Amino acid sequence: MKVVFHNVIYFFAEKGKRIGLNREKLKACFFPLYRAFCSIEYKCFNHIYLYHVEIPVTQRCTLKCKDCSFMMPYFERPKDYNVIDLLKYMDRLFECVDTIQIFRILGGEPFVYKDLDLIIQKALSCTKVRTVDVVTNGTLVPAEKILNAMSNSKLTVQISDYGDISYKKKELQKVCEEKGIKCVIRSMADKNWFTAGDLHFRGKLAKDIKEQLKKCAGICRSFQNGKLYFCPRASFGALLGIPDPPKDYVDFTVERSKDELRKQIFELNQRNGFLACNYCDEGTDCYTSIPPAQQISDFSQIECWRGNIGKQ
C-alpha cells in the first residue's frame, strides 16, 4: 500500500514538472492537495516528503535583475557559502527526510561557485533525491570538473533565457549536448516573472496572511546555508534585514535529534503564515506580472530599495 501510494505521487509529481506547476493558478489548486499528501505521509507512514528544495551556493551573480526573486542585487557584499558547511548541512537534511522530488542548486549564478562539483556530487549520490536541477542565467560556461559532475541522468541544467543578456546560452547548450548532460532552455515566456515588492512591512493581520499563503501556494522550500525556510522570500529577506524568528525555519546548524527535526519539517509544511509574508506581495492583488530580467542601471535604485527594508 505504501509503495503504491508513493509511486502514484511520484508519477504525478514528474508529470507536474513537465506541464509547469510553477504557474500561479495551478499552484493554488494543488497547494491544499500537496499539504494533505504531506500530512498523510507523515502521520500514516512516518514519511517526510518535500516536493522541491532549493539550495543557494552563492550570493554572487553575473546579472543585476531589478525584480530578482532572490534579491541578489541588493546584497552589499555578496559572498560564497562555505562548501564544507553546505555539505554538512545537506547530510543532515538528507538524513531527516525520506524523499525530495526536486533538489535545485542555484545562486546567484551557481557557475561562479568554484566548488559546485562537490555540491552536485553530494546531491546526486543521495538516493532520497529523485532529480537534481542546476539553474543558470546562460552567461557562463562552467569549468570542466563541473561539467563532468553534471553528466548524470538524474540531473538537468535549466538555462533561463533572458534574450541577448544570456549570451552564452547556445554555447552552454552545445557543451551540455557534447557531454551528454540534459539541458533545457526556458524562454522568457515560460519564466512568468512577477514582482513581490520591496521589503517594507505591510501590516497585514493573521487572517489576511493565511489567505495570502493559500494563494501564494509555496511548494518550494529554501535551504539557506543550513536553515530550511518555507520560501526564498523568507530566507533571503532574513539575510537582508527583515525579522527572522526561529519558529519560521528549521535550523540544521545546531544539534537536534532526528525526530525533532523531522517534526519541525512537517510543521513548517503545514503552517498558515510566516512573518515574512508581511514583507511580500506574492498571493495578493499587488503581485503583478512584469517583463523578465530588467537590469538595474541606476545605483540609486538599489539604495532606495535597501532603504525601505523593514519600514512601516
Side-chain angles (χ1 to χ4, degrees), residues 127-143:
T127 57
K128 297 175 180 180
V129 173
R130 296 185 66 83
T131 59
V132 176
D133 290 348
V134 178
V135 182
T136 174
N137 59 29
T139 60
L140 294 174
V141 175

Side-chain angles (χ1 to χ4, degrees), residues 101-169:
Q101 192 79 34
I102 308 165
F103 191 80
R104 183 165 289 172
I105 303 167
L106 37 73
E109 169 49 52
F111 288 153
V112 306
Y113 190 67
K114 66 181 179 65
D115 294 314
L116 184 62
D117 57 313
L118 300 179
I119 302 298
I120 291 169
Q121 289 163 1
K122 174 69 73 175
L124 289 171
S125 68
C126 179
T127 57
K128 297 175 180 180
V129 173
R130 296 185 66 83
T131 59
V132 176
D133 290 348
V134 178
V135 182
T136 174
N137 59 29
T139 60
L140 294 174
V141 175
E144 188 72 14
K145 66 173 184 174
I146 295 172
L147 289 168
N148 291 336
M150 293 193 300
S151 185
N152 187 297
S153 60
K154 195 170 166 179
L155 182 142
T156 302
V157 174
Q158 288 200 15
I159 304 174
S160 298
D161 181 2
Y162 300 134
D164 291 342
I165 60 176
S166 299
Y167 65 99
K168 291 276 190 178
K169 59 180 180 285

Side-chain angles (χ1 to χ4, degrees), residues 58-60 64 68 70-79 81 108 224 235-241 299 302 305-306:
T58 181
Q59 297 165 1
R60 295 187 294 138
K64 288 192 177 297
C68 173
F70 299 156
M71 299 162 276
M72 290 295 102
Y74 305 102
F75 284 90
E76 290 189 68
R77 297 176 182 85
K79 65 178 184 179
Y81 294 125
Q224 179 77 247
S235 70
F236 287 102
L239 293 178
L240 285 165
F299 187 75
I302 296 178
W305 197 97
R306 286 181 185 146

Side-chain angles (χ1 to χ4, degrees), residues 199 201 229 234 237-246 248-249 275-276 279 309-310:
L199 289 175
F201 182 71
Y229 288 83
L239 293 178
L240 285 165
I242 69 171
D244 188 28
D248 280 6
Y249 57 83
L275 184 57
Y279 296 83
I309 295 175

